[in-house]
Amino acid sequence: MCAPGKRMERELADRVLDLAAQEPDIEVAFHRQCFARHGHFAGDDDTRLEALLDCANDPLTDAVWFAHGGYGTNRIAAAALARLDAVGRAKTFLGYSDAGYLLAGLYRHGIGRPVHAPMAADIRHDGGEAAIRRVFDFLRGSTDGLERSLGAQPSVAFNLMTLAMLVGTELMPDLTGHVVLVEEVSEHLYAVDRLFFHVTQNLRGIAGIRLGRVSDVPENDRPFGASEEDIARFWCERSGIPYLGFADIGHDPGNRIVPFGHRG
Amino acid sequence: MCAPGKRMERELADRVLDLAAQEPDIEVAFHRQCFARHGHFAGDDDTRLEALLDCANDPLTDAVWFAHGGYGTNRIAAAALARLDAVGRAKTFLGYSDAGYLLAGLYRHGIGRPVHAPMAADIRHDGGEAAIRRVFDFLRGSTDGLERSLGAQPSVAFNLMTLAMLVGTELMPDLTGHVVLVEEVSEHLYAVDRLFFHVTQNLRGIAGIRLGRVSDVPENDRPFGASEEDIARFWCERSGIPYLGFADIGHDPGNRIVPFGHRG
């Protein structure tokens, strides 16, 4: 585990390690970088980059599992992609939210196996253990934790803000023909509307959008006047993108797993 | 005046009218739509669109001056551009922040005269009368209120979030060779960093970026660890965009005027 964005709390890491200790076939190790501090980040850019490469290029591990979201992966993702070796380029990478910058870049270049999945820090939520066990089961080969809507077309899943910041950048994959699942947390509905404007205008040619949970919406000085699904439908219709309904993803322990490019 | 995003308070409108009454050569009129309510917006999309067209296509006025920012201009800008008549296509449009969506679309299509300038609602700030008088003077032909950094290359000015949401959309002008001035308000510094990542990756070929004021930054649970100028320099250097220093624009009464495409 490494933390390309926000620092991990040791107490949360200990709870994940306790849970892993009950699973004889799972071994979890936190890189010490997870606990580093540098302003907003879990260590400066070089520290986070080197830790990510330590984990990715280590032939003794099966997967790089991101400890926490926050913000910062976009600052090191391009450099990390350029330095993945043969081991790193065959590895599974699991996370969501801010980790989406790296998942996107991996998928763009067809390297590694990027997977939208719960992160270690999700153990802090009520029911968070279930999210952690969902990842353990996935690593064992179970498909029980996969998002149930995955169908004939390849899917990807992103935090909406992360996807909005990705479009047009060197990390953005070609999503032609893909079903794009989006979720959001802690954004006003007017900001969600604004993000949908941006994303739908920049994602021509996708197979459709599914809406995950939009949670912890801050209270505004006036009601927005439309629900998050109204917003998704409105912008999908405007841009000619099929709106396909809900997806069972979000910043919560129910967040299901979406291997990038997976067909159901 | 019309309000393509947020509703105007009558008390603020009255203060602007009082100020205009002292100027014999200036006449200001608020479209009744400025005071409409529809959820987050000053009336629903149709109401705001029709009011904008009423103002723009009116042969008896010289300029469309936006009353307020907020959010919502992006929802009606493309439809408004399609319905500007010969009168509307020759008019001056003044505003900033959320109004930037329409200024951008006008500039993209080379119609009207889009101008980054204070808005009527700026009268609510200490010293706001000076911002209003700056617009009156500009409308009289004065260049005293122009941003002083305007030079040999054409300039545009945007709220950073607005610009980030514009790139890649049907409203985005070609800014090759332009100096791009950006300002921000009420965003965390990590969000400013994220926006600079997105914008610098999407604005290849511009002549440079100037940094306006980044104001009312909310207090975060941890310090970001870099200033807004550090952020601007970092992303400009990464993307090969010249960083040109500060600009005297922002969400405050000091906000100076930038006619889009203007050369100093």
Side-chain angles (χ1 to χ4, degrees):
Chain A
M1 309 208 66
C2 59
K6 187 174 180 176
R7 181 179 180 275
M8 185 74 176
E9 298 293 326
R10 284 191 182 273
E11 184 259 340
L12 295 179
D14 288 342
R15 287 170 60 187
V16 172
L17 291 171
D18 287 350
L19 211 63
Q22 300 167 22
E23 314 273 344
D25 54 346
I26 296 283
E27 190 176 351
V28 167
F30 284 87
H31 194 291
R32 68 174 180 276
Q33 172 269 324
C34 294
F35 312 107
R37 289 179 201 268
H38 182 87
H40 196 79
F41 307 107
D44 63 17
D45 287 352
D46 281 346
T47 302
R48 303 196 317 285
L49 172 61
E50 294 303 326
L52 173 53
L53 291 167
D54 285 349
C55 295
N57 294 336
D58 179 352
L60 301 179
T61 68
D62 298 307
V64 178
W65 189 22
F66 297 116
H68 217 322
Y71 170 69
T73 304
N74 61 325
R75 295 175 62 104
I76 61 171
L81 292 169
R83 288 178 54 197
L84 291 178
D85 65 17
V87 167
R89 294 167 73 93
K91 199 149 285 187
T92 297
F93 294 81
L94 304 120
Y96 71 108
S97 191
D98 181 66
Y101 295 106
L102 189 73
L103 302 181
L106 289 162
Y107 196 57
R108 173 187 176 118
H109 295 288
I111 55 182
R113 185 189 180 204
V115 181
H116 167 100
M119 292 185 287
D122 284 313
I123 203 162
R124 74 190 183 281
H125 301 298
D126 277 350
E129 292 83 359
I132 305 304
R133 289 204 185 91
R134 193 173 308 126
V135 173
F136 292 166
D137 287 344
F138 175 79
L139 290 171
R140 286 188 186 102
S142 168
T143 59
D144 290 352
L146 295 188
E147 159 64 13
R148 293 184 192 90
S149 71
L150 301 180
Q153 288 141 327
S155 292
V156 291
F158 285 104
N159 169 261
L160 180 59
M161 176 66 84
T162 304
L163 179 58
M165 297 294 104
L166 274 166
V167 296
T169 72
E170 65 191 1
L171 300 171
M172 183 67 191
D174 179 1
L175 295 182
T176 304
H178 284 65
V179 176
V180 179
L181 285 57
V182 294
E183 54 81 27
E184 194 47 277
V185 65
S186 302
E187 294 284 350
H188 288 102
L189 286 182
Y190 74 81
V192 170
D193 196 75
R194 192 163 64 182
L195 291 168
F196 261 100
F197 158 73
H198 184 56
V199 162
T200 53
Q201 287 256 331
N202 276 278
L203 289 182
R204 309 287 183 175
I206 63 172
I209 286 179
R210 279 189 178 274
L211 183 62
R213 284 176 287 283
V214 175
S215 56
D216 290 339
V217 176
E219 194 157 342
N220 206 357
D221 55 357
R222 57 201 188 279
F224 182 71
S227 73
E228 58 265 37
E229 195 181 25
D230 296 335
I231 292 169
R233 285 183 187 279
F234 175 84
W235 288 109
C236 281
E237 189 180 327
R238 265 235 200 159
S239 55
I241 295 173
Y243 173 70
L244 303 174
F246 290 120
D248 195 5
I249 62 167
H251 270 68
D252 55 61
N255 188 25
R256 297 184 74 82
I257 292 172
V258 182
F260 275 34
H262 188 89
R263 292 171 167 83
Chain B
M1 310 209 64
C2 59
K6 187 174 180 176
R7 179 180 180 275
M8 185 75 176
E9 298 294 327
R10 284 192 184 270
E11 184 259 340
L12 295 180
D14 288 342
R15 287 170 60 188
V16 172
L17 291 171
D18 287 349
L19 213 60
Q22 301 168 21
E23 315 272 344
D25 54 346
I26 296 282
E27 190 177 351
V28 167
F30 284 87
H31 194 291
R32 66 173 182 276
Q33 171 270 324
C34 294
F35 312 106
R37 290 178 201 267
H38 182 85
H40 196 78
F41 307 107
D44 64 16
D45 288 352
D46 281 345
T47 302
R48 303 196 317 284
L49 172 60
E50 294 304 326
L52 174 51
L53 291 167
D54 285 348
C55 295
N57 293 336
D58 180 352
L60 300 180
T61 67
D62 298 307
V64 178
W65 187 23
F66 297 116
H68 216 325
Y71 170 68
T73 304
N74 61 325
R75 296 173 63 103
I76 61 170
L81 292 170
R83 288 177 55 198
L84 290 179
D85 64 17
V87 166
R89 294 166 74 91
K91 199 149 286 188
T92 297
F93 294 81
L94 303 121
Y96 71 107
S97 191
D98 181 64
Y101 294 107
L102 188 73
L103 302 182
L106 290 163
Y107 196 59
R108 174 189 175 118
H109 295 288
I111 55 182
R113 184 189 181 205
V115 181
H116 166 100
M119 291 185 289
D122 283 315
I123 203 163
R124 74 190 184 281
H125 301 297
D126 277 351
E129 291 84 0
I132 305 304
R133 290 205 184 91
R134 193 175 307 127
V135 173
F136 292 165
D137 287 343
F138 175 79
L139 289 171
R140 286 190 186 100
S142 168
T143 58
D144 290 353
L146 295 188
E147 158 64 13
R148 292 186 194 88
S149 72
L150 300 181
Q153 287 140 330
S155 291
V156 292
F158 285 104
N159 170 261
L160 180 60
M161 175 67 83
T162 304
L163 179 59
M165 297 296 104
L166 273 166
V167 297
T169 73
E170 64 193 0
L171 299 172
M172 183 67 191
D174 179 1
L175 295 182
T176 304
H178 284 64
V179 177
V180 179
L181 283 58
V182 294
E183 55 81 26
E184 192 49 278
V185 66
S186 303
E187 294 285 349
H188 287 103
L189 286 182
Y190 74 82
V192 171
D193 196 76
R194 194 163 62 181
L195 291 168
F196 260 100
F197 159 72
H198 184 55
V199 162
T200 53
Q201 288 256 329
N202 276 279
L203 288 182
R204 308 288 183 175
I206 63 172
I209 286 179
R210 279 189 179 272
L211 183 63
R213 283 175 288 282
V214 175
S215 56
D216 290 340
V217 176
E219 194 157 340
N220 205 356
D221 55 356
R222 55 201 189 280
F224 182 71
S227 73
E228 57 267 36
E229 194 180 24
D230 295 337
I231 291 169
R233 285 183 187 279
F234 176 84
W235 289 109
C236 282
E237 189 179 327
R238 265 235 200 159
S239 55
I241 294 173
Y243 173 70
L244 302 176
F246 290 119
D248 195 6
I249 63 166
H251 271 69
D252 56 61
N255 189 24
R256 296 184 74 83
I257 293 173
V258 181
F260 276 33
H262 189 88
R263 292 171 168 83

